Amino acid sequence: MNGEQHPLAVPVYKTLLEVLREDLHLTGTKHGCELGECGACTVLVDGEPVLSCLALPIELEGREILTIEGLMEGGRPHPLQSAFAEMGAVQCGYCTPGIVLSAKALLDRNPMPTRQEIAEALSGNLCRCTGYIQILDAVERAGARMRERRS
Amino acid sequence: MLRLPPFQYFAPRSLDEALRILSDHGPEAQIVAGGTDLYPKMKRRQIQPRALVSVRRIPELSHIAWMAHDGVTLGAGVTLARVLACENLAIAYPALARACAGIAHPPIRSMGTIGGNLCIDTRCTYYDQTFFWREALGFCLKKGGTVCPVAPGGTRCWAVSSSDGAPVMIALGAQLRLIGPHGERTIAAEEFYRDDGIQYLAKAPEEILVEVRLPCREGWRSTYWKLRRRGAIDFPVLGIAVAVCMESGRCREARIVLGAVGSCPKRIREAEGILEGNPLEPDVIEAAARAVSRAIRPLENTDFLHLYRKKVASVFAQRALHELAGTPLTGGLSGT
Ligand SMILES: Cc1cc2nc3c(=O)[nH]c(=O)nc-3n(C[C@H](O)[C@H](O)[C@H](O)COP(=O)(O)OP(=O)(O)OC[C@H]3O[C@@H](n4cnc5c(N)ncnc54)[C@H](O)[C@@H]3O)c2cc1C
Ligand code: SF4
Ligand code: FES
Ligand code: FES
């Protein structure tokens, strides 16, 4: 979990979302619908977006989980975090952790996605506030910064 | 929090072990793959198994194997994302790729499996609700009650077969291999479904779907059109899978299968007959599309008005056939 190992004893029927929030006290991962419909609970498992409300920890044994708390790099915000803050892509913020992680999975796999590809990658993440435009802009800006950094 | 009810969890590493656990626990046990259909239903207390038997670690369920000139075999545990990542599948079976690409959204496609997709529970506006909601309204036939509010005079459940994969597998002529305590059998995808919202699968609960065999479809064209309110997330409220085999400009064989208009996927043989032996020209297509709409009787238990779904069925049939004829129509609804 975020680069650390956590030995945990929890009931098998607790979802990853419940364990993250209630046992590990990592409340950055949000609970929305808890039925797979909103994406608020998205985390990355081996780099791929997974809904923590529909995943059991026992099914993820030995795999690497990244939550929003583990996204900072060397004490500095990830380019996605900075771009979201700068572009007004965060309003109430409830959808943000899930969206940022879905966007990270996309940019790691495809450093220069089209706007359509960004929308497709984020199609499971609902936002009630922003109207999405700022979110798409922020992902584009973060992608550009990450490419600059690499070159 | 909407929590899962307590259960025991088993993660067998072989089919034999899985079958043993399933028979030890009898009707209290339920198979789980990605859990993306089962867990929400358990949270809403629609299904409350005491034991879950995961098929994730069973090696026989995880392959994609091509057979020379004889099609492909997909392990039931192959995720939808893996199906989509396989370019050869998209080339050989466009309808399959199109259907998988429209299922739910990316995280669910990387968690959910093709086998799970073929076995998902039927859906209904009155059934896919929380326990609190269902209790307040009065339980229905499918779970705990004695009356069906959709068709109160009747004695059957009309919950809707809502898998995007099911009509496509039937249109492509897939065979399903099942293993149970009494041995294994292979059946046509078409025979896997029953026209009953409660007992919707022709399979015993302890039978495991092991793999899906798709025959070679050289010379065939196929596509899938889906109606839903949003371009992602939503289940289909109408799905049309069409496969045609063309020979010297005429349709030699056709399969048209509708999803989400009844308790099982529905093959429209009258429409297939109209196409067979004829070129895919506008008047032939129109006649077939009319036959599609005539053959279905969707009810008022999904999103959108049932009459609207019936109407869109002929529009989508027409568009799907024009797409396969190479004369695509443009306009309004964009089947996603
Ligand atoms: C928000 C949301 C949107 C969705 N949208 C769509 C959609 O648009 N289209 C669509 O088709 N589906 C949709 N689904 C349903 C589901 O996510 C997919 O169909 C998925 O492919 C199911 O696979 P799974 O492995 O997660 O199945 P599970 O949930 O693990 O299992 C589903 C059922 O199949 C049985 N089962 C699973 N594997 C086997 C096996 N090998 N042998 C025998 N029985 C088995 C289980 O016992 C259970 O009854 C959606 C789900 C959610 C939550
Ligand atoms: S069709 Fe009737 S019995 Fe079946 S799930 Fe819906 S309300 Fe219940
Ligand atoms: S809380 Fe998991 S998808 Fe909504
Ligand atoms: S910022 Fe409020 S839900 Fe997206």
Side-chain angles (χ1 to χ4, degrees):
Chain A
M1 169 81 58
N2 299 334
E4 291 173 17
Q5 288 213 0
H6 289 273
L8 267 185
V10 292
V12 73
Y13 48 85
K14 271 191 108 167
T15 61
L16 177 62
L17 175 65
E18 289 159 10
V19 170
L20 286 173
R21 295 182 56 90
E22 296 168 359
D23 298 281
L24 293 168
H25 305 293
L26 293 172
T27 51
T29 306
K30 300 301 177 213
H31 62 105
C33 64
E34 296 172 55
L35 296 167
E37 294 170 12
C38 75
C41 67
T42 307
V43 300
L44 300 188
V45 174
D46 293 338
E48 283 298 312
V50 158
L51 303 177
S52 60
C53 71
L54 298 184
L56 301 180
I58 197 170
E59 291 167 342
L60 303 174
E61 207 181 318
R63 302 180 64 187
E64 213 165 283
I65 299 169
L66 181 75
T67 69
I68 196 70
E69 288 89 349
L71 196 62
M72 297 249 283
E73 290 168 342
R76 296 169 56 89
H78 185 278
L80 274 163
Q81 292 172 304
S82 319
F84 268 63
E86 290 159 16
M87 314 281 292
V90 182
Q91 288 186 25
C92 79
Y94 210 79
C95 67
T96 312
I99 294 195
V100 166
L101 289 170
S102 284
K104 178 181 189 311
L106 170 70
L107 293 178
D108 288 347
R109 181 177 73 237
N110 174 3
M112 211 162 99
T114 62
R115 215 163 159 92
Q116 181 57 38
E117 285 168 334
I118 299 172
E120 168 59 28
L122 301 183
S123 63
N125 295 88
L126 298 182
C127 174
R128 303 270 74 182
C129 307
T130 62
Y132 300 102
I133 305 292
Q134 298 92 323
I135 292 176
L136 300 179
D137 291 344
V139 176
E140 277 178 348
R141 177 180 287 194
R145 289 220 183 116
M146 286 161 73
R147 290 196 300 278
E148 258 166 46
R149 255 213 245 157
R150 241 173 260 132
S151 57
Chain B
M1 281 266 191
L2 262 181
R3 294 177 197 272
L4 287 166
F7 51 79
Q8 266 187 297
Y9 187 91
F10 298 92
R13 286 172 191 272
S14 72
L15 276 171
D16 281 347
E17 197 187 341
L19 288 173
R20 202 174 52 245
I21 301 168
L22 282 165
S23 70
D24 283 352
H25 291 264
E28 309 262 270
Q30 176 106 17
I31 299 168
V32 63
T36 59
D37 193 56
L38 188 61
Y39 294 156
K41 302 247 170 189
M42 287 172 63
K43 288 185 171 192
R44 293 188 293 243
R45 305 299 190 264
Q46 291 158 277
I47 304 175
Q48 267 177 280
R50 293 276 180 80
L52 289 186
V53 183
S54 166
V55 292
R56 286 172 182 244
R57 296 191 181 190
I58 304 178
E60 288 95 328
L61 267 64
S62 65
H63 58 282
I64 298 183
W66 292 85
M67 292 158 296
H69 310 295
D70 202 23
V72 68
T73 309
L74 302 177
V78 170
T79 61
L80 302 170
R82 246 181 95 201
V83 169
L84 284 169
C86 180
E87 279 175 30
N88 289 336
L89 278 175
I91 294 167
Y93 309 101
L96 177 63
R98 183 102 177 240
C100 288
I103 292 175
H105 50 72
I108 285 201
R109 294 199 291 268
S110 62
M111 300 162 78
T113 64
I114 193 75
N117 179 253
L118 296 180
C119 298
I120 56 171
D121 195 6
T122 49
R123 297 178 60 79
C124 171
T125 319
Y126 294 88
Y127 169 67
D128 289 293
Q129 302 290 350
T130 56
F131 184 87
F132 174 80
W133 193 100
R134 285 180 291 124
E135 188 180 38
L137 188 77
F139 295 108
C140 77
L141 273 183
K142 188 160 158 77
K143 175 77 184 175
T146 50
V147 178
C148 165
V150 176
T155 52
R156 65 159 284 186
C157 163
W158 299 90
V160 178
S161 167
S162 306
S163 158
D164 283 306
V168 166
M169 290 302 183
I170 296 172
L172 294 173
Q175 299 275 323
L176 308 182
R177 188 158 80 95
L178 301 160
I179 291 194
H182 308 298
E184 74 167 82
R185 60 189 180 118
T186 298
I187 59 170
E190 201 175 346
E191 289 156 27
F192 191 54
Y193 298 98
R194 301 183 62 224
D195 190 9
D196 178 338
I198 297 173
Q199 301 290 333
Y200 59 95
L201 292 181
K203 142 181 144 39
E206 64 275 16
E207 266 184 311
I208 300 173
L209 173 59
V210 178
E211 61 189 21
V212 181
R213 292 181 185 160
L214 284 164
C216 175
R217 278 296 183 240
E218 258 176 55
W220 286 71
R221 303 173 193 169
S222 69
T223 188
Y224 179 72
W225 282 60
K226 166 176 181 174
L227 176 70
R228 57 175 158 186
R229 193 171 292 269
R230 299 173 288 187
I233 308 175
D234 298 335
F235 280 85
V237 292
L238 166 72
I240 303 196
V242 184
V244 292
C245 177
M246 301 300 289
E247 206 174 65
S248 10
R250 283 171 188 275
C251 171
R252 186 163 65 84
E253 207 182 323
R255 283 204 175 201
I256 301 186
V257 189
L258 266 67
V261 292
S263 295
C264 64
K266 194 169 166 66
R267 241 184 109 171
I268 317 287
R269 290 181 197 266
E270 190 194 340
E272 295 174 2
I274 292 172
L275 297 174
E276 284 167 359
N278 288 311
L280 292 186
E281 284 172 356
D283 51 338
V284 176
I285 290 178
E286 208 187 310
R290 271 202 306 269
V292 165
S293 184
R294 261 200 314 274
I296 58 167
R297 212 167 61 88
L299 294 174
E300 196 67 312
N301 60 348
T302 68
D303 193 11
F304 286 131
L305 273 179
H306 58 306
L307 292 175
Y308 175 71
R309 286 156 66 214
K310 189 170 161 80
K311 192 159 183 183
V312 175
S314 79
V315 176
F316 275 12
Q318 213 164 353
R319 293 194 179 169
L321 285 163
H322 271 285
E323 179 196 336
L324 297 183
T327 53
L329 298 175
T330 48
L333 296 166
S334 65
T336 51

